Amino acid sequence: AASRVRRFARWLHHPAIDPTKWYPPILKAALRDWTPQARGYVALDTTVLGAFVLIRASLVYRGRAIPLAWKALRHASAMVSFEAYQPVLEQVRTLLPAGSSITVLADRGFLHEQLIRYTQQHHWHYRIRMLGSTLVQQPHHAVRAVEQLRPAPGSAHFYHNVTIFGTAISPVHLVVAQWLADKFN
């Protein structure tokens, strides 16, 4: 086993191997038969590695995450600005077939007005977790925080045509759920 690890390490650190040159053509070849009618899910995520954060966009395919684009930067936390990860989204756009039905999946650290507008501009869908403090306005109701809409444990509520961030983005469909603690203990 140690011999295989050494052999793989030599191959991986070989100066002639440049992932930025060989990975995109391999990925394009793998996606060649993917039709625009196919639905794709792109997971947007960050990983903190010491003083650095890795921003990564991966295609979710058959329970696996295939890296499409990534960017490393010196940053103290996993929460990054839209400007920091927009180049990653641009790379994803160049790799996926035009007109594909894409849904961006992201954690609450990516909940930015600019991301939602970006997805709308490119006719993508999105599923983004929200902080409980995110402001929501239902039609004919006062502005409230998401945490004020929380249902009973084990339940979910669906809100259609709401506005988020106070009055910045609408219409948005919102699902607010609370898991049953006993199920996971």
Side-chain angles (χ1 to χ4, degrees):
S3 171
R4 285 187 181 149
V5 169
R6 281 193 305 274
R7 210 172 330 138
F8 184 72
R10 279 195 305 271
W11 175 80
L12 190 61
H13 295 87
H14 194 281
I17 298 174
D18 182 1
T20 60
K21 289 184 179 159
W22 62 261
Y23 192 72
I26 288 175
L27 195 56
K28 283 223 184 252
L31 296 173
R32 180 182 55 234
D33 296 329
W34 195 29
T35 64
Q37 295 79 22
R39 176 169 290 280
Y41 294 90
V42 174
L44 195 55
D45 200 9
T46 58
T47 302
V48 177
L49 303 165
F52 295 92
V53 66
L54 176 66
I55 304 165
R56 170 180 70 260
S58 302
L59 180 66
V60 179
Y61 181 73
R62 294 188 178 182
R64 300 287 188 254
I66 302 165
L68 295 174
W70 53 88
K71 179 181 177 181
L73 54 107
R74 187 177 293 275
H75 198 278
S77 77
M79 291 188 78
V80 293
S81 68
F82 176 75
E83 291 75 20
Y85 63 85
Q86 184 179 7
V88 173
L89 294 172
E90 288 297 324
Q91 283 182 282
V92 168
R93 260 185 0 94
T94 63
L95 291 169
L96 298 178
S100 298
S101 179
I102 301 298
T103 301
V104 175
L105 308 173
D107 211 348
R108 58 190 176 196
F110 292 97
L111 184 61
H112 298 114
E113 181 179 340
Q114 300 98 316
L115 174 59
I116 294 172
R117 295 212 187 279
Y118 182 92
T119 59
Q120 291 171 340
Q121 176 186 354
H122 297 290
H123 307 289
W124 290 358
H125 306 280
Y126 54 89
R127 306 289 180 270
I128 306 172
R129 285 183 53 199
M130 293 182 166
L131 292 168
S133 60
T134 304
L135 298 178
V136 175
Q137 184 173 19
Q138 297 171 261
H140 314 295
H141 288 82
V143 174
R144 295 188 278 178
V146 169
E147 62 195 2
Q148 294 174 303
L149 303 173
R150 189 177 311 152
S155 300
H157 287 175
F158 302 88
Y159 301 95
H160 297 281
N161 301 314
V162 301
T163 302
I164 61 172
F165 302 134
T167 58
I169 298 180
S170 69
V172 173
H173 304 301
L174 178 67
V175 177
V176 182
Q178 187 169 330
W179 58 283
L180 269 175
D182 295 344
K183 271 193 139 169
F184 299 102
N185 290 333

